[in-house]
């Protein structure tokens, strides 16, 4: 057990758990050693199948704020400790506005094994990337309850799957598995059941090898550029590019290329 800045840390191989920053239903874990820079947000409301209630919302907000202020964080994996469940949706007794992972300036990856329904799928759709097991169950069944997806589902789903498919899935409440999700473009990878986390780690490890500031600027240029007209988006791209020209990381990248070695980026 270590003590730093008033927080208690439990250390394991390639894992650093921040106990004081964990709520009862959301845990924050920072990987260590060679995986330093990868942060995991673990949904852990087992009794309610990770349905999102007030306490979990507070935990998510606090966790995202902590990550946002941590300059060492480079990529976030959002996953579940509950078997066969990513997130079963909103707790209908405590339904509130969802906290979106889009507030984060670094890449976010949803890691789905099992059910991702309602607000659970909406949270996954707000992530930059999504990895799921082939037997995952994804759906927006809100119309069954005479409501509509209210945490971004009616907007993000058609942007990924197209208007027609989005309408079908929302109008009917139909659930799909990981294989169909990949064919619709809802997820980046559909892998054998139980392998979503390892695939997400593989991708995260590739991301943390790249220039951290460049990754942030790429996310900003893509995410914000899609919401404006093309000429304005190209201006945004140029602004993001110019912010990288005087960084130490850019010079390190050039030096590493010339010296035929791996770059050592510091986010400066």
């Amino acid at each position: 057990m270590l003590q730093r800045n008033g927080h208690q840390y439990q250390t394991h191989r390639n894992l650093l758990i921040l106990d004081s920053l964990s709520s009862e239903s959301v845990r924050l874990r920072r990987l260590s050693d060679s995986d330093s820079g990868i942060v995991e947000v673990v949904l852990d409301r087992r009794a309610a199948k990770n349905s999102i209630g007030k306490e979990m919302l507070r935990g998510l907000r606090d966790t995202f704020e902590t990550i946002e202020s941590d300059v060492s964080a480079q990529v976030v994996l959002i996953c579940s400790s509950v078997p066969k469940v990513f997130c079963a949706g909103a707790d209908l007794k405590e339904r509130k506005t969802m906290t979106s992972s889009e507030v984060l300036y670094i890449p976010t990856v949803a890691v789905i094994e099992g059910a991702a329904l309602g607000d659970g799928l909406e949270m996954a759709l707000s992530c930059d990337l999504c990895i799921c097991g082939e037997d995952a169950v994804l759906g927006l069944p809100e119309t069954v309850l005479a409501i509509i997806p209210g945490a971004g589902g009616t907007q993000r789903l058609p942007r990924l799957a197209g208007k027609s498919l989005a309408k079908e899935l929302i109008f009917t409440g139909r659930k799909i598995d990981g294989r169909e999700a990949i064919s619709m473009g809802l997820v980046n990878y559909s892998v054998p059941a139980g392998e979503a986390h390892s695939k997400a780690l593989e991708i995260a490890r590739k991301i943390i090898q790249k220039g951290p500031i460049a990754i942030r600027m790429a996310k900003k240029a893509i995410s914000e550029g899609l919401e404006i007209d093309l000429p304005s988006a190209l201006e945004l791209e140029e602004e993001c590019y110019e912010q990288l020209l005087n960084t130490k990381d850019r010079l390190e990248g050039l030096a590493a290329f010339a010296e035929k070695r791996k770059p050592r980026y510091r986010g400066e």
Side-chain angles (χ1 to χ4, degrees):
M1 182 78 72
L2 301 175
Q3 291 264 357
R4 293 182 191 166
N5 299 325
H7 300 307
Q8 287 187 332
Y9 296 75
Q10 293 179 355
T11 57
H12 302 274
R13 184 181 180 184
N14 288 343
L15 179 64
L16 197 62
I17 302 176
L18 282 72
D19 291 325
S20 62
L21 295 178
S22 300
S23 71
E24 291 183 2
S25 56
V26 181
R27 291 186 286 118
L28 176 61
R29 305 192 302 193
R30 288 187 176 93
L31 305 195
S32 59
D33 298 335
S34 60
D35 290 335
S36 178
I38 302 174
V39 179
E40 291 186 348
V41 175
V42 184
L43 309 181
D44 190 25
R45 195 185 181 198
R46 188 172 298 258
K49 296 183 178 179
N50 284 344
S51 60
I52 300 170
K54 293 178 182 177
E55 199 278 333
M56 180 175 276
L57 274 174
R58 283 194 296 269
L60 286 168
R61 290 192 186 106
D62 291 346
T63 299
F64 290 159
E65 287 176 3
T66 299
I67 295 170
E68 185 74 10
S69 63
D70 182 1
V71 295
S72 68
Q74 293 176 255
V75 60
V76 180
L77 307 185
I78 301 178
C79 49
S80 166
S81 66
V82 182
K84 298 183 179 180
V85 174
F86 174 71
C87 176
D91 187 326
L92 296 179
K93 295 178 293 186
E94 300 180 349
R95 187 176 178 90
K96 295 286 183 181
T97 302
M98 267 291 300
T99 296
S100 170
S101 64
E102 288 176 337
V103 300
L104 297 176
Y105 59 86
I106 58 177
T108 55
V109 184
V111 185
I112 302 176
E113 293 281 7
L117 302 172
D119 284 18
L121 179 55
E122 290 179 287
M123 176 163 55
L125 294 177
S126 75
C127 292
D128 297 303
L129 306 175
C130 187
I131 318 297
C132 74
E134 290 176 342
D135 63 351
V137 180
L138 289 70
L140 296 174
E142 284 87 346
T143 52
V144 175
L145 301 170
I147 57 176
I148 66 171
T154 64
Q155 303 307 306
R156 296 190 183 100
L157 184 60
R159 283 168 166 78
L160 290 171
K163 180 174 66 174
S164 182
L165 274 174
K167 286 182 176 180
E168 183 219 332
L169 293 177
I170 292 173
F171 291 172
T172 66
R174 182 166 73 88
K175 300 178 181 68
I176 61 174
D177 63 17
R179 298 176 186 86
E180 192 168 1
I182 188 72
S183 70
M184 290 181 175
L186 294 190
V187 300
N188 296 86
Y189 293 93
S190 177
V191 297
E195 296 183 13
H197 187 264
S198 59
K199 183 63 178 180
L201 271 179
E202 175 190 327
I203 294 171
R205 286 166 179 153
K206 292 179 180 179
I207 292 174
I208 63 174
Q209 294 174 11
K210 310 304 186 290
I213 305 175
I215 294 295
R216 295 173 198 168
M217 289 298 101
K219 174 170 178 171
K220 178 182 176 68
I222 296 169
S223 298
E224 296 182 14
L226 284 172
E227 303 302 320
I228 55 181
D229 61 83
L230 182 58
S232 299
L234 291 172
E235 289 181 10
L236 172 64
E237 179 186 70
E238 185 176 357
E239 291 171 5
C240 291
Y241 182 84
E242 289 177 349
Q243 290 187 51
L244 299 168
L245 294 179
N246 295 319
T247 63
K248 293 180 181 178
D249 280 353
R250 188 183 75 87
L251 297 178
E252 167 62 15
L254 292 173
F257 179 79
E259 297 166 16
K260 299 182 179 180
R261 59 171 173 82
K262 288 186 177 181
R264 295 182 290 272
Y265 295 124
R266 301 181 181 276
E268 300 174 350

